[in-house]
Amino acid sequence: MSGAEPPTWTGRSLPRLEDPAIVRGWGRYVADIAAADRGCLHARFVRSPHAAGRLISVTAPEGVTLFTAADLVGVRPIHAVLNRPDFVAVDTPILAADVVRFVGEPVGLVLAASEAEAEDALELVEIEIEPLPPVLSAAQATAPGAPLVHDAAFPGDPNTVVDGRLRTDGFDEAFARADRIVTVQVGSARQSAMPLEARAAHVSYDRGSGRSTLHATVQMPHVTRTGIADALGMREDDLRVVAPDVGGAFGAKMCLAREDVALVWASRTLRRDIAWIETREENFLAAWHSREQVYDVQGAFSAEGELLALRGDLVCDVGAYSCYPVTWGVEPLMAMAELPGAYRVPEYAVRSRGVLTNKCPIAPYRGVSRPIQVLAMERLMDVAAGELGLDPVAIREANLIREFPHRSPSGLVLDEASHLETLRAAVELAGIEDFRARQAAARAEGRYLGLGISCFAERTGYGTPAFAARSRPFRLGARAAEVITPGYERVVLTMDPSASVTLRIGASPHGQGLKTTLAQVVCDELGLAPGAVRVIASDTDATPYGWGSFASRAMVIAGGAALLAAQSLAARLRTLAADRIGALPDDIDLAGGQARRRDTGESVPLAALARDTYHNAQLIPDKGEPALEAVGLYDPSGTFANACHIAEVEVDPLTGQVRVTRFLVAEDAGRLINPAVVDGQIHGGIAQGLANALYEELIYDERGVLVTTSLMDYLPPTIAETPAIEIVHLETISPASVTGAKGVGEGGTIGAPAAIANAISDALAPFGVGVFHLPATPHRIRTAIRDASPRPRDREKGTAS
């Protein structure tokens, strides 16, 4: 007798297990923990009002509890470093001591019995600073004689702390034989990740054990613990770090915050609990920025549109300090390695720099440098198509990678993907011929419609091999201790005597639905329903050391580790069941909470096997261990997802307003564990890509003061500005991912800006206007139209504007 095929959970759009508590208001955030601790002190940080200057003094009247850098005796600075010759490391003090380097830099810590009293005390603090000339742009920073943000930099290159260079052997010859050299310059304004929940921390001190517990809005609890322990010179097991429910992160909460170090120090010094809830203004001022970049890119093309060689000069403004653990190399080094993206680039020459300015430091934000990399390549493709008289689709078809594995000129190996297929699927969905007819009819009415395409590869799920490649090899020892190489994930999977399953992970989910998708993977192996699995994460006391959640990695790496652990535990259960039933382990299926013999249908409940394993060890064959536990470790090189985005827009040339009327996605993220979760990631990413393309911009004035410090000035899109999104999925299963899944968390943000920029440029083609700098605000569009000549009507009359 053979039973029905066991049901599979992978591939099903199950409701997220995490959601009921959140949507009912039962979530537990740091502010909730702080509110419940009625005896804790409340912290406010004294921040520099100057972008650059000598710090003379920070003082407060009697009765105000104020700590400054002078009090932090023996506290080490944060040290973020890569072991490579094109990188300069600079320490970050916990509180500024002698020099301030950006508006918002913490120079003191005030404590009081309530938030209101802490705010009042903060107003009483006096700061004396001797202002110095600030450096406020990468161009200014690299000019001869520019003031130095830090003394350390490359000789002859003021304020340059990352200077990556690469040139393939055949570049000059390929460039020389090109029929057309196409040049574009693209840029992006500074952005904030702007999570719904700003940063927050609550530190408690246990006098009995001498241990501290930090509840904080972080993405990497274990790494946060390591960084704080290193700075304070304490044992890691004396610090527990917990990330409870986190209201958004997007990369901005993965780096070690100076504030968290100061708070743990103050709590241990005073032996008191302390809470800090960041304000929105503070979040804009000091909680990491991203993506202020300018790329000068040249493509060497044949007359038929083949890209023969690519040259790039890439400049990333990294602000005033490095970010731990990924360093201020994260944007420029990614840009250098990944600029070619989804395209075949036979020859490549690039220089990519990280440049210091007197502004808030840069950290990874969803997509990191890839939105600007893709903007550069996609604008290059459209401009080249125009100059060569080619169709924008055709020039992409001629250059997209088709054979796999593909080695890029920077040495990246792209695994199996579907670049050409996603382009064609998106084009078919878009109905471009019909759009061109609608576009022509609209132009006859004085309306300007545009369509833009964006193709990209998203590097996801990369482990230690990829991160190790950023540093030179070294022997274990003192030098190794300075370098942090993220990568692997380890999980511990346990079945208790009732056959309930607990999965402990080092990854740290914060809204991605990871607990649901991991449960689906595990339950397919164990023959249980996902509700039987409890996933424990984000608590250094309860989980194995791991690297948190970032870079579209959790489903690939933590998911791979969970699968391997589940397969190991399933094999143990089959062995136990086979002994009980009298069969071979290979004859046993696990399904519906039963271990069933495939040929006869005879079965034993998993709960009975589990209970006997723990309570009747004498029944275990071969005197096996009286426990049901498996460990999974996964450390892959990475896998590339890919997609094509197509945007339709309507632009009002009189106001410069842009309305995105349609957005299409053809996405290949490998095997979809939970399609609804994948679609949610794509939708959220596109909304943030829309923000990059049209709305969000952090602006400093000529003094280095940030003027966009509220949601009245910094404009994220709302649901009213976000179009309906149509998605079609392709599925390429790659051996580079043990689950078959590829990461998808950043793709929406990566591809959307370029698609929208190309669409606006298409709409404004009659004006001779192209979009190369983001965001494409109404002011920038109106300025470009005014500066363009001739205008459409003037062209018809044969007159100049």
Side-chain angles (χ1 to χ4, degrees):
M1 172 182 176
S2 62
E5 283 294 316
T8 59
W9 298 104
T10 296
R12 296 167 65 176
S13 293
L14 300 184
R16 301 197 324 177
L17 302 175
E18 304 93 325
D19 287 353
I22 299 296
V23 299
R24 288 182 171 93
W26 299 341
R28 189 166 180 259
Y29 296 86
V30 173
D32 298 318
I33 296 166
D37 186 354
R38 300 191 180 278
C40 75
L41 298 174
H42 292 265
R44 303 304 312 159
F45 284 92
V46 185
R47 298 187 182 276
S48 171
H50 294 279
R54 294 187 181 89
L55 182 58
I56 307 301
S57 65
V58 183
T59 58
E62 186 176 350
V64 173
T65 302
L66 169 68
F67 294 108
T68 67
D71 298 302
L72 274 63
V73 177
V75 176
R76 302 185 186 98
I78 298 169
H79 189 59
V81 64
L82 292 176
N83 183 25
R84 51 188 297 151
D86 53 9
F87 179 91
V88 175
V90 174
D91 288 344
T92 302
I94 308 307
L95 297 174
D98 302 315
V99 177
V100 294
R101 293 183 170 90
F102 69 97
V103 170
E105 180 169 10
V107 299
L109 170 63
V110 168
L111 299 175
S114 70
E115 285 191 83
E117 290 172 277
E119 286 286 354
D120 290 343
L122 184 66
E123 295 293 326
L124 300 175
V125 177
E126 294 186 358
I127 312 171
E128 184 180 355
I129 294 174
E130 178 188 333
L132 296 171
V135 178
L136 299 176
S137 70
Q140 179 190 359
T142 54
L148 297 179
V149 179
H150 290 278
D151 291 336
F154 287 104
D157 285 306
N159 295 307
T160 299
V161 288
V162 180
D163 193 356
R165 305 185 192 216
L166 187 155
R167 191 181 193 90
T168 58
D169 292 340
F171 175 81
D172 291 334
E173 187 275 332
F175 221 75
R177 62 184 171 87
D179 295 306
R180 189 89 178 195
I181 305 298
V182 179
T183 301
V184 298
Q185 183 187 80
V186 301
S188 174
R190 196 169 261 251
Q191 278 189 277
S192 167
M194 208 202 78
L196 186 64
E197 177 194 30
R199 295 182 298 174
H202 175 274
V203 193
S204 61
Y205 180 78
D206 183 76
R207 291 172 181 257
S209 66
R211 297 190 80 216
S212 297
T213 297
L214 169 66
H215 286 85
T217 54
V218 297
Q219 292 175 242
M220 305 173 79
H222 289 95
V223 180
T224 297
R225 184 185 68 181
T226 294
I228 294 174
D230 284 351
L232 300 186
M234 61 186 292
R235 291 171 21 163
E236 287 204 35
D237 67 351
D238 280 339
L239 177 61
R240 177 189 180 197
V241 177
V242 182
D245 291 318
V246 176
F250 312 115
K253 294 176 180 176
M254 69 176 286
C255 294
L256 178 61
R258 304 160 75 168
E259 292 86 349
D260 288 345
V261 180
L263 292 167
V264 174
W265 174 87
S267 174
R268 293 182 67 80
T269 299
L270 300 177
R271 299 189 173 191
R272 293 286 304 274
D273 294 0
I274 299 175
W276 171 60
I277 311 298
E278 184 181 53
T279 67
R280 181 59 61 188
E281 180 182 24
E282 279 185 299
N283 187 261
F284 279 126
L285 280 173
W288 311 106
H289 295 171
S290 68
R291 282 202 281 271
E292 185 173 6
Q293 305 179 2
V294 176
Y295 295 1
D296 285 289
V297 175
Q298 289 184 307
F301 289 88
S302 71
E304 294 75 29
E306 180 186 359
L307 181 59
L308 306 175
L310 180 69
R311 172 188 285 147
D313 184 7
L314 320 177
V315 178
C316 304
D317 180 334
V318 299
Y321 292 100
S322 198
C323 54
Y324 174 102
V326 292
T327 81
W328 50 29
V330 63
E331 285 192 348
L333 295 179
M334 174 182 284
M336 178 176 72
E338 298 185 31
L339 179 63
Y343 295 103
R344 296 190 307 274
V345 176
E347 303 295 341
Y348 184 41
V350 62
R351 183 186 187 191
S352 188
R353 286 172 284 170
V355 176
L356 296 173
T357 57
N358 289 114
K359 290 184 285 192
C360 177
I362 290 292
Y365 169 42
R366 197 173 193 170
V368 196
S369 289
R370 296 185 194 100
I372 315 307
Q373 296 163 209
V374 174
L375 175 68
M377 293 303 294
E378 294 305 305
R379 291 301 292 129
L380 180 70
M381 288 295 164
D382 267 19
V383 172
E387 292 188 12
L388 294 168
L390 300 173
D391 177 76
V393 174
I395 197 170
R396 288 172 169 83
E397 288 184 331
N399 289 290
L400 285 169
I401 299 167
R402 301 185 183 207
E403 297 179 357
F404 303 94
H406 171 84
R407 183 175 292 275
S408 79
S410 64
L412 298 180
V413 177
L414 282 73
D415 58 323
E416 285 75 4
S418 57
H419 300 294
L420 193 61
E421 293 82 359
T422 50
L423 171 64
R424 289 172 176 170
V427 167
E428 181 180 357
L429 186 63
I432 291 181
E433 285 190 20
D434 174 68
F435 170 79
R436 292 302 177 198
R438 289 188 286 116
Q439 182 184 48
R443 283 182 181 173
E445 299 169 359
R447 296 169 47 235
Y448 294 89
L449 311 183
L451 181 145
I453 301 172
S454 170
C455 298
F456 64 91
E458 178 189 359
R459 192 183 188 192
T460 74
Y462 41 100
T464 304
F467 282 101
R470 298 198 311 156
S471 280
R472 283 186 170 182
F474 47 76
R475 290 188 297 273
L476 290 176
R479 181 63 180 170
E482 297 181 0
V483 178
I484 289 182
T485 306
Y488 61 86
E489 282 300 333
R490 186 171 173 271
V491 307
V492 179
L493 182 66
T494 305
M495 179 177 282
D496 67 21
S498 67
S500 295
V501 175
T502 300
L503 178 67
R504 301 173 188 273
I505 64 174
S508 184
H510 43 269
Q512 303 96 325
L514 183 63
K515 292 184 178 181
T516 302
T517 50
L518 292 181
Q520 289 176 256
V521 169
V522 167
C523 288
D524 268 349
E525 299 300 320
L526 300 183
L528 298 171
V533 177
R534 184 162 69 104
V535 179
I536 297 177
S538 309
D539 182 343
T540 59
D541 271 11
T543 60
Y545 200 102
W547 296 99
S549 298
F550 65 98
S552 298
R553 71 187 299 275
M555 190 61 245
V556 177
I557 307 184
L563 175 63
L564 296 174
Q567 289 172 341
S568 177
L569 182 56
R572 178 91 195 283
L573 291 169
R574 289 190 183 94
T575 298
L576 293 171
D579 180 75
R580 181 73 59 90
I581 295 172
L584 295 175
D586 288 346
D587 296 332
I588 302 296
D589 289 329
L590 304 180
Q594 302 280 325
R596 179 175 288 104
R597 182 167 174 165
R598 195 174 304 115
D599 55 351
T600 66
E602 186 179 359
S603 66
V604 58
L606 294 183
L609 286 177
R611 191 172 184 89
D612 282 346
T613 298
Y614 285 94
H615 297 165
N616 292 290
Q618 74 277 7
L619 300 178
I620 301 173
D622 299 324
K623 297 182 180 180
E625 184 180 357
L628 293 172
E629 184 171 286
V631 174
L633 175 67
Y634 192 48
D635 193 11
S637 297
T639 179
F640 282 79
N642 67 277
C644 177
H645 290 186
I646 295 182
E648 290 186 22
V649 303
E650 181 168 353
V651 184
D652 183 344
L654 297 180
T655 65
Q657 291 286 342
V658 176
R659 184 166 64 94
V660 181
T661 57
R662 192 182 183 199
F663 204 97
L664 314 174
V665 177
E667 175 84 31
D668 189 340
R671 177 172 290 120
L672 307 186
I673 306 300
N674 186 314
V677 168
V678 170
D679 284 355
Q681 288 288 306
I682 294 171
H683 280 245
I686 288 170
Q688 289 180 305
L690 177 70
N692 189 183
L694 298 177
Y695 300 107
E696 294 182 358
E697 180 172 11
L698 291 165
I699 300 172
Y700 285 86
D701 68 13
E702 68 281 356
R703 300 166 297 160
V705 175
L706 186 68
V707 298
T708 48
T709 57
S710 77
L711 295 179
M712 295 191 62
D713 309 302
Y714 188 83
L715 302 177
T718 70
I719 191 66
E721 290 80 38
T722 305
I725 299 167
E726 303 169 53
I727 303 173
V728 59
H729 290 286
L730 284 74
E731 185 176 286
T732 300
I733 306 300
S734 167
S737 169
V738 70
T739 63
K742 300 182 178 187
V744 74
E746 297 173 295
T749 310
I750 292 168
I756 294 169
N758 277 341
I760 298 170
S761 301
D762 182 49
L764 298 180
F767 296 87
V769 168
V771 171
F772 295 93
H773 184 89
L774 300 181
T777 59
H779 172 73
R780 286 194 176 100
I781 289 174
R782 282 293 304 136
T783 300
I785 292 173
R786 282 196 301 268
D787 291 345
S789 175
R791 293 191 297 260
R793 262 181 218 164
D794 298 327
R795 187 181 290 115
E796 290 168 12
K797 297 174 184 177
T799 61
S801 60

